[in-house]
Each structure stands twice: as C-alpha cells, then as structure tokens.
Amino acid sequence: MMSPERALTWVTYTSRAVRKEVSIDLELRTRTEGAWTILEVVGEVDLYTAPALHDRLVAMIDGGTRSLAVDLQGVGFMDSSGLGVLVGGLKRLRENGGQMSLVCREGSTLKVLTVTGLDRVFPIHATVADATAS
Amino acid sequence: MIVSDQLSLDLPADPAQIGTARAFAARVGGHLGVGEETVEDIKLAISEACTEAIALGVLGLHLLVSVEPGAITFELEGQGVRDPLLSSKWFAELFDGPARLELVRSLFPDFAVVSEGEPFVLRFSVPAPATPTA
C-alpha cells in the first residue's frame, strides 16, 4: 500500500522532475512546394504556444499565401487552443479566396480533430505530397 | 495495491505552466497503469481545464489526483480571481468555454464543473486499472 507520506515524497520528486523536463517549444518552418506553401508545425500547441501559430498564420495570409498545407505530423499534442487558431486561419484564408489543408496521419492530434468534427471541415491528408496534389 | 491516495500539484495560473500540469497528470496516470490512449485523453482534459480556468482569470491552479479502488479522479481547482483573459485580442478565436468543456465531456462522460464560483472546480475520473491479485 502506498502510504500518504510516501505519496507526498513521490509527488514532490515528480513535481521537480516534471518542472525540469517540461519545456514547451513550438517550431514553425515554412517552405514552398509548387503553388503550395507548407507550414510545418513541430511541438505542442496549447494556450501558451498557440499565439505563435496564430501570428505566423496571419502573417502568411496577409503576405499573400493562398494555398496552405499545415503539416501537423510533428505535433505531439494539440488542444482546442490550437484548433481555434487553425479554424481562424481557415476562415481568414477562405475570405481571401484561399485554401487550407492539414497533414495528419495518426495520434492524438488526429483524434482531437475527429472528436470535434473538424475532420469534416478541413481536408486532412496523410502526407504533404497528398495535400499538395489535391 | 493502492487503497486510497491523493497526489497534488500547485502551479501559477500561467499559460506557460499548462504543459507542466499535463506532464504531471500523464506521469501519474502512467504510474498508476492507465493505458496510453487514456493518458492522452487525460492530457487533453487537463489542458482544456487549465485553459478554462486561466481564461476565467484565476490566480493559481491546484491539480489533485485522488486514487481510490475502482477510479482515479482528477480535479482542477482555480484559486483566486483577477481580470479574465476572455477579452484579449486573439482569445476570441479560440474555442469558447462551452465548446471546450464539451470536448472534454466527450472523452470523460462524468466531467463536470463542480463549482463555477470561487474556487472554480472541474472534475473527471477514469476507471482504475485492475490490480493483479496474488
């Protein structure tokens, strides 16, 4: 049986370990493939990091990007903060006559897109090649 | 065998700390034998709960995990109140509170806002993994 004293020790240790190991970074890399601009997102997207994604999307769209594939294969975690930013980007692109696809094959990111029904809003592809061929 | 125990983590209500809350919950879930997919769901639920609390303007986050025979309960308490973030520039593009909480409810049917006042309290539970008997 885990005693309360032992649990407390464990929690203290874990809290320190978690604090030490958690460093949420978001990398955003952009490249062009034909008529498409690829935004590769790597890291975790939540309330803390979503503003960076938001700002990048707005800058790209304001800068003239009209065919955008957002590659989410490097995203280890995304919550509704990230989803909201993606939906905002899609809306902004469509208002400017653009299109937006997501690249996401598996994992928790695809699950949250499915649970929220956004897999019916965004074209979702398994690879960047599939997205840019559409 | 774990009969009853509680583990907790206190964090400032800072978006930068949401990843720490997720990592703590994931580590506790993994330590207690919760399956990988459920751990991912727990991370999402904790992230959404923290986001909701921070959006409402709480000052501190108290995450409590109660381990009892048959269930592991996660409770997030938002302590203190300051000006809500809801009016910030890009926050309007996020999922609104009800949609965010509905997302969590779709993963954990017993998810509930236990208290909407001060403190603001959210709670959900997962079945405790069966303990092998000798």
Side-chain angles (χ1 to χ4, degrees), chain A residues 45-47 50-51 53-54 57-58 78-92 100 102 112-113 116 118 121-122, chain B residues 48 51 90-96 99-100 103:
Chain A
V45 187
D46 63 8
L47 184 62
L53 178 59
H54 170 269
L57 283 172
V58 169
M78 179 181 285
D79 67 12
S80 66
S81 302
L83 297 179
V85 169
L86 291 175
V87 170
L90 176 67
K91 186 179 172 192
R92 191 172 272 109
M100 181 175 178
L102 303 181
V112 75
L113 286 164
T116 54
L118 290 176
V121 175
F122 289 98
Chain B
E48 300 296 351
T51 298
W90 67 275
F91 216 94
E93 290 198 1
L94 302 183
F95 274 36
D96 61 11
R100 190 181 305 124
L103 167 59

Side-chain angles (χ1 to χ4, degrees), chain A residues 14-109:
Chain A
T14 302
S15 300
R16 282 203 204 103
V18 167
R19 283 174 189 275
K20 192 180 287 183
E21 79 181 28
V22 172
S23 172
I24 302 175
D25 293 316
L26 189 69
E27 286 185 44
L28 302 170
R29 305 173 192 141
T30 308
R31 66 180 189 277
T32 303
E33 291 190 13
W36 286 79
T37 301
I38 316 301
L39 174 60
E40 185 181 356
V41 185
V42 178
E44 300 193 344
V45 187
D46 63 8
L47 184 62
Y48 180 54
T49 57
L53 178 59
H54 170 269
D55 292 349
R56 178 65 69 91
L57 283 172
V58 169
M60 292 172 73
I61 296 165
D62 290 350
T65 295
R66 291 296 175 264
S67 294
L68 175 63
V70 182
D71 183 356
L72 300 172
Q73 293 181 100
V75 173
F77 175 85
M78 179 181 285
D79 67 12
S80 66
S81 302
L83 297 179
V85 169
L86 291 175
V87 170
L90 176 67
K91 186 179 172 192
R92 191 172 272 109
L93 256 178
R94 285 183 174 168
E95 287 171 353
N96 288 281
Q99 58 182 331
M100 181 175 178
S101 293
L102 303 181
V103 179
C104 184
R105 188 165 36 211
E106 59 189 4
S108 61
T109 305

